[in-house]
Each structure stands twice: as C-alpha cells, then as structure tokens.
Amino acid sequence: MKLLKEFCKRETKPPSWDHNRNWQYIVLRTDEEKEFAFDDAKSIADKFDADRYLNMPRPYPISLGQKMYGYAMPKQFTMLKNAPYVIIPLFKSKELNGEYVSKLNPFATIWCVIENIFLAATAEGLSCSMRIPLNKEHDNVKKKLKVPPSYMIPVFIGIGYADPNEKELEQYNPDLNKQIHWGKWK
C-alpha cells in the first residue's frame, strides 16, 4: 500500500492541461473485485481464437503488431486478474473531441500520468500490463465501479512482478535517423 501511495504522489507531477490535476484512481486488489470489473475482458479473451487469428490467410505478411495482438489478447484478463494491484486511472472529460488537437488535452495529460505510473513501477523493479477498454467495455466498467459520468477510463494497469518465463516477442527497431527531422520535415 505504501508503494501505491508513492505512485499516486508521483502522479501529481505530470503536465496538466487545466492545472487542476483532477485525475482519480480506482485500485483493485482482490480477485473478486477484478473478476467483477473485468468480466467483459474475460469474455473477449475466452472467445478469442489466437491460432485462427495468427494463421488466417492475409494478402500481406503478418505484422509484428498483429503477432503481438494475437499473443496478448487471450492473456489480457489473466494478466489483470493475476496482478496484485490493478490501477484504473480516470480523467475528467465527458467525451473525446478530436476536432482540434487542443481538445484532446485531457486525454493527452492522463497518458502522461499513465507513463509516470509505468516508470515508477519499473523504478521499483515491478512490471505493468495494460488493457485499453474495447467498445462498450469502458461504459460497463464505469457503471460497475460507479464512476461519475464526467470521467473516462483510458486504460487498466496491472502492476506486479513479471513472470521470468514469459516469452519476449520481437519488437520493431525504429531508425531514429528517419524519424527525427531537424528544422522541418524533409
């Protein structure tokens, strides 16, 4: 619990578009709490056929992102359920509006908070798993956890110790020389 309080204390440091830092957090600890909140994630994971998804005919080679999705999707519920703690960060915004980038400020700043949670956990030797709610899952979890209508849930974060036997999947290795543009986009 002390570590969780330290995380939350650090989370008041990210940039905040309204300077109110009005983020809220729900922390789930018990199996019952996690099963209640994440029954949609469990249902999606139970129905997901990774072999079919990974081996379906495609007009192009399977991407690393698709491989990652096929590997992680069936595990997302158990990663959350087996984590000692699940943090659900919340940000105040009735709806997202991408008409102008500035209208996404509440969403952008909560992701600064989320990154700080990941960095704080890593600094303590812990690992994080993440699930972004799919479709109606967001609204269902909000209703179950009695989240006020003016708040949104961007992600569910499981925090604990990584399984040392977990398979490490291939990652893209970006060429920063092609991604950094000096002065203007060339």
Side-chain angles (χ1 to χ4, degrees):
M1 191 58 85
K2 181 181 174 191
L3 182 61
L4 231 43
K5 286 181 182 177
E6 182 61 29
F7 283 165
C8 290
K9 191 165 80 174
R10 290 181 191 181
E11 299 336 300
T12 63
K13 306 291 186 223
S16 172
W17 74 278
D18 60 1
H19 302 285
N20 289 329
R21 290 169 168 72
N22 60 11
W23 309 300
Q24 302 290 320
Y25 308 91
I26 296 174
V27 179
L28 305 178
R29 298 168 298 209
T30 68
D31 285 349
E32 293 78 21
E33 289 171 335
K34 292 178 252 180
E35 286 173 13
F36 176 72
F38 303 130
D39 65 342
D40 284 335
K42 183 178 186 326
S43 175
I44 291 167
D46 288 346
K47 290 177 189 172
F48 188 79
D49 184 343
D51 286 332
R52 188 177 134 277
Y53 175 79
L54 291 169
N55 297 306
M56 70 173 55
R58 291 179 170 82
Y60 51 84
I62 190 167
S63 71
L64 290 180
Q66 289 168 320
K67 287 179 187 177
M68 190 74 69
Y69 183 83
Y71 182 75
M73 199 60 184
K75 297 176 165 212
Q76 287 189 352
F77 170 73
T78 55
M79 287 189 301
L80 292 172
K81 185 174 179 294
N82 294 340
Y85 295 100
V86 174
I87 298 177
I88 302 173
L90 301 132
F91 68 102
K92 199 167 195 167
S93 180
K94 291 181 185 170
E95 63 182 46
L96 292 179
N97 180 342
E99 181 182 354
Y100 300 103
V101 171
S102 63
K103 291 189 177 190
L104 294 173
N105 283 340
F107 190 63
T109 59
I110 193 66
W111 279 97
C112 293
V113 169
I114 293 162
E115 180 69 13
N116 278 12
I117 292 171
F118 275 64
L119 291 170
T122 302
E124 296 296 329
L126 299 168
S127 295
C128 298
S129 62
M130 163 174 95
R131 176 176 174 79
I132 296 171
L134 296 173
N135 307 326
K136 299 229 179 250
E137 181 180 6
H138 171 271
D139 296 341
N140 293 343
V141 172
K142 267 183 69 169
K143 184 177 178 181
K144 287 179 179 189
L145 300 182
K146 300 182 179 178
V147 173
S150 59
Y151 282 86
M152 295 184 80
I153 302 170
V155 68
F156 313 123
I157 304 169
I159 296 180
Y161 292 99
D163 178 350
N165 300 315
E166 184 63 40
K167 178 179 173 181
E168 212 170 300
L169 298 179
E170 180 184 1
Q171 300 285 320
Y172 285 110
N173 189 8
D175 182 350
L176 293 179
N177 292 322
K178 292 180 180 177
Q179 292 180 285
I180 296 174
H181 307 275
W182 298 99
K184 64 180 178 180
W185 191 296
K186 296 180 183 177

